Amino acid sequence: MNVNLNIGRVLGAQLKVHWTFFLLIIWIVVHELQRGGYASSVLFNIALVLAIFIGVILHELGHAFMAKRFGVRTTKITLLPIGGIAHWNPREIPPKHEILIVLAGPFVNLVLALLLYFTIPIHSLYRQSFTDAYEVFASFSFQNFLFFIFLINAGLVLVNMLPAFPLDGGRLLRALLDLRLKPAKATQIATSLGQVIAIAFLLLGLLYHPVLIFIALFIFFSAYTENLNVQHTTLLKGHTVEEAMLLNITTFKPKDSIDLVVNTIISGTEINFIVVESGHIKGLLNHGKIIEHSAKNVLVEAVMDPEFKTVNALDDLSVVYPLIYAHKQTLFPVVHQGRLIGAIDTINLNEYIALQTKLTYKL
Ligand SMILES: [Zn+2]
């Protein structure tokens, strides 16, 4: 289920708002009403959430602008209340460029915070907000609003510079380690530190605030996934699709009956198939769709999906790895000089990774 809201494209990148932003707005409205807030205080708080939102967008645009300067395309930006996650193409960026791309985001918030610091009386507002919190929160003036925008931007700089991968600080640490170490080692150190900080956040969250628990889980699992991705990519580099592909695959013709396919599923272990006619790949048969049409008297051509991606036998496995894992297609035909010679899916790629891990680390 895709619950992230797509809000358009900026600098070629798809902008998505993470569902937690909406959760934050609902939470703030409920919280405000519970403590006896008025319409004006609810609106003031919603305006603050929108200010966080804009702060995060500007932060991400800082990254995207710098990435563009180095010829790196930002494909997708997901906006979260604590920052954004940008996806870059290519995934591997020289460490010196990555350092500048990473710093460009917090730099935008730092500039905004400094501009506000010198234009509004931060000191007196700050003292006031602690000595007479009620007064400050009760008067929803423009100056108070600017004071909170200052706090938001300063907060975005501080939170994002924590060395907790995937936050910017963690990415910076990885890029710095990358200058001296191998990428896989650098990622391992940075993500491990990220997970340690995440556990600290989790404990603080249990003691003080549930929002910290959410941040902790986000950091922990992102660090885990990124580390796994980099370790796998490193392991697969230099190996071709041909080495890992399935050779014994059953293919069908467009005019075959779906009964024939169902019988093959029952009598064997294959569940997805390639449809071929006179040496050309015509489509893919997906397990779910086969089952859906199994009781009907139809031909393979009516059930197959004519839109599909293929991979080349000599492609590097580290390059096709993200495609095979992220794409909704489950089975990829492997071609060599235009001919079908095998297939690859996540199951046999996982098996290949497991075998390579054994061979490499002699576990
Ligand atoms: Zn950032």
Side-chain angles (χ1 to χ4, degrees), residues 40-41 44-45 47-48 120-121 125 128 134-149:
S40 58
S41 69
F44 186 81
N45 281 290
L48 282 179
I120 55 169
L125 284 166
Q128 222 182 323
Y134 181 75
E135 282 284 309
V136 174
F137 287 101
S139 57
F140 307 112
S141 70
F142 185 60
Q143 205 169 46
N144 278 342
F145 187 66
L146 289 180
F147 173 64
F148 283 114
I149 292 183

Side-chain angles (χ1 to χ4, degrees), residues 51-118:
I52 298 178
F53 182 69
I54 291 166
V56 173
I57 288 186
L58 293 174
H59 172 111
E60 286 307 317
L61 288 182
H63 287 309
F65 263 114
M66 192 57 91
K68 208 177 169 198
R69 270 196 58 189
F70 295 119
V72 176
R73 206 165 65 84
T74 309
T75 49
K76 192 170 88 178
I77 297 173
T78 310
L79 303 162
L80 286 142
I82 54 159
I85 318 164
H87 299 262
W88 291 308
N89 192 13
R91 284 163 57 90
E92 284 169 49
I93 304 164
K96 280 181 186 164
H97 292 179
E98 195 175 4
I99 290 171
L100 290 173
I101 295 173
V102 165
L103 286 175
F107 180 74
V108 172
N109 301 117
L110 184 68
V111 169
L112 285 171
L114 286 176
L115 277 176
L116 290 167
Y117 185 83
F118 289 112

Side-chain angles (χ1 to χ4, degrees), residues 125-336:
L125 284 166
Y126 191 69
R127 228 173 301 130
Q128 222 182 323
S129 70
F130 280 95
T131 51
D132 200 356
Y134 181 75
E135 282 284 309
V136 174
F137 287 101
S139 57
F140 307 112
S141 70
F142 185 60
Q143 205 169 46
N144 278 342
F145 187 66
L146 289 180
F147 173 64
F148 283 114
I149 292 183
F150 162 78
L151 286 184
I152 286 166
N153 280 287
L156 282 173
V157 175
L158 292 177
V159 170
N160 279 286
M161 287 315 283
L162 281 175
F165 195 95
L167 301 181
D168 291 335
R171 285 181 194 275
L172 181 68
L173 175 69
R174 177 175 70 172
L176 289 171
L177 291 169
D178 235 2
L179 292 170
R180 297 279 163 130
L181 305 168
K182 286 187 173 153
K185 191 77 200 157
T187 305
Q188 200 172 34
I189 297 173
T191 52
S192 300
L193 182 62
Q195 289 184 313
V196 170
I197 294 177
I199 292 169
F201 264 58
L202 185 73
L203 295 176
L204 286 174
L206 291 171
L207 288 173
Y208 299 106
H209 207 286
V211 169
L212 287 172
I213 298 176
F214 162 73
I215 297 175
L217 293 176
F218 167 73
I219 292 174
F220 191 90
F221 289 110
S222 304
Y224 174 79
T225 316
E226 176 71 10
N227 185 34
L228 208 61
N229 274 342
V230 173
Q231 303 307 327
H232 286 174
T233 312
T234 311
L235 214 59
L236 294 173
K237 202 172 240 168
H239 295 279
T240 57
V241 169
E242 201 174 26
E243 293 174 52
M245 70 184 179
L246 295 159
L247 285 170
N248 301 319
I249 50 166
T250 313
T251 59
F252 289 97
K253 295 194 186 74
K255 298 287 179 208
D256 283 336
S257 80
I258 204 73
D259 281 349
L260 196 62
V261 185
V262 173
N263 287 338
T264 311
I265 290 181
I266 304 283
S267 60
T269 51
E270 291 172 89
I271 54 168
N272 299 297
F273 304 91
I274 301 170
V275 184
V276 184
E277 192 175 44
S278 39
H280 295 288
I281 308 167
K282 292 288 173 192
L284 296 181
L285 280 170
N286 174 283
H287 180 250
K289 275 185 108 178
I290 300 168
I291 300 300
E292 195 187 316
H293 291 84
S294 57
K296 299 170 193 163
N297 190 15
V298 286
L299 297 178
V300 159
E301 62 185 357
V303 182
M304 72 179 188
D305 189 355
E307 306 255 324
F308 56 88
K309 282 185 189 291
T310 61
V311 292
N312 220 295
L314 300 179
D315 280 347
D316 199 287
L317 277 174
S318 66
V319 177
V320 299
Y321 171 82
L323 174 80
I324 293 173
Y325 278 92
H327 205 273
K328 61 178 192 305
Q329 186 175 323
T330 42
L331 184 70
F332 289 78
V334 178
V335 292
H336 183 60

